Amino acid sequence: MLRADPEHGPLVPMLLVLTLVTGVVDAVSYLALGHVFVANMTGNVVFLGFALAGAPGLSAPASLAALAAFLLGALAGGHLARRLPGHRGRLLTAAVAAQAVLVAVSTALAAGLGHGTEPARYALIGLLALAMGGQNAVVRSLKVPDLTTTVLTMTITALAADRTGPRRFASAVWMFAGALLGALLVLHAAVPVALALALALLVAVGVLTHLAARAVPAPAWTARR
């Protein structure tokens, strides 16, 4: 399930790790930042509707902030994909490096200022949604089938309708595992600990992808699809 294949090389396991990261950061944002998602924008659109209808415990400004930051991140990720059009390994390495910087700043902010005040909460929402928007745009450009890293609705639909696809099943399992780990760390440790886990995973993906992609001539899996 996690083995590299000739067409996509190590991208399959790397994207599954990024799916794990998605679960962790959405656990942080939903449980600690006021019932808002930083990766699952479908949830934010629905929450925005609920909040505008007056549902308690939801914040329209928080959902809007997450949506706006995610869009900016996706814009930046799309720009990066156009700047590195011929090498999927370099593209993923650069994208994950930028994402790791944003998560590192988020971790430091949560450790230094906490997440209880409105400025800190919105700063964390913005930084994390920016990071996840960039991830989503770059993963989309990598074109590895059945691994979106942030969206599961169509993945689960295809899994049931087609009754095939180990990657689809793995994607759901890794998202669940990330959400579970993130929730356990938020509820029983601290927000900076959960964010530090996400950061460590991103650094690992960046380093491993860089090492796998640096061969000359470039491995076949690095070619854009």
Side-chain angles (χ1 to χ4, degrees):
M1 183 179 297
L2 302 182
R3 291 178 299 177
D5 61 69
E7 184 177 3
H8 301 294
L11 291 178
V12 170
M14 295 302 99
L15 295 191
L16 286 173
V17 176
L18 292 184
T19 304
L20 187 74
V21 170
T22 295
V24 172
V25 297
D26 261 349
V28 170
S29 65
Y30 186 83
L31 296 174
L33 302 181
H35 294 174
V36 64
F37 289 119
V38 293
N40 179 6
M41 291 301 111
T42 302
N44 281 330
V45 171
V46 173
F47 287 165
L48 179 59
F50 292 167
L52 292 175
L58 298 173
S59 168
S63 293
L64 286 171
L67 283 164
F70 187 93
L71 286 171
L72 286 174
L75 183 66
H79 178 71
L80 181 63
R82 289 188 293 273
R83 290 289 301 273
L84 297 171
H87 198 294
R88 293 196 295 175
R90 291 174 188 161
L91 173 59
L92 182 59
T93 300
V96 170
Q99 188 177 2
V101 170
L102 292 169
V103 175
V105 174
S106 300
T107 305
L109 177 63
L113 299 179
H115 60 277
T117 66
E118 287 293 285
R121 185 166 74 94
Y122 276 94
L124 289 171
I125 289 171
L127 288 166
L128 293 173
L130 190 66
M132 299 311 296
Q135 173 182 307
N136 204 61
V138 167
V139 168
R140 181 174 178 272
S141 74
L142 294 176
K143 297 182 180 179
V144 180
D146 302 322
L147 290 176
T148 64
T149 76
T150 60
V151 180
L152 285 184
T153 301
M154 292 306 297
T155 299
I156 293 173
T157 301
L159 181 63
D162 299 342
R163 290 178 291 178
T164 58
R167 289 180 192 168
R168 297 167 183 163
F169 180 74
S171 182
V173 169
W174 283 59
M175 181 83 77
F176 168 80
L180 178 61
L181 283 171
L184 287 172
L185 291 173
V186 170
L187 296 175
H188 302 291
V191 168
V193 178
L195 291 176
L197 171 62
L199 176 59
L201 292 170
L202 290 171
V203 170
V205 169
V207 170
L208 292 174
T209 303
H210 170 71
L211 292 176
R214 67 178 180 176
V216 178
W221 63 267
T222 63
R224 294 293 294 274
R225 298 300 187 268

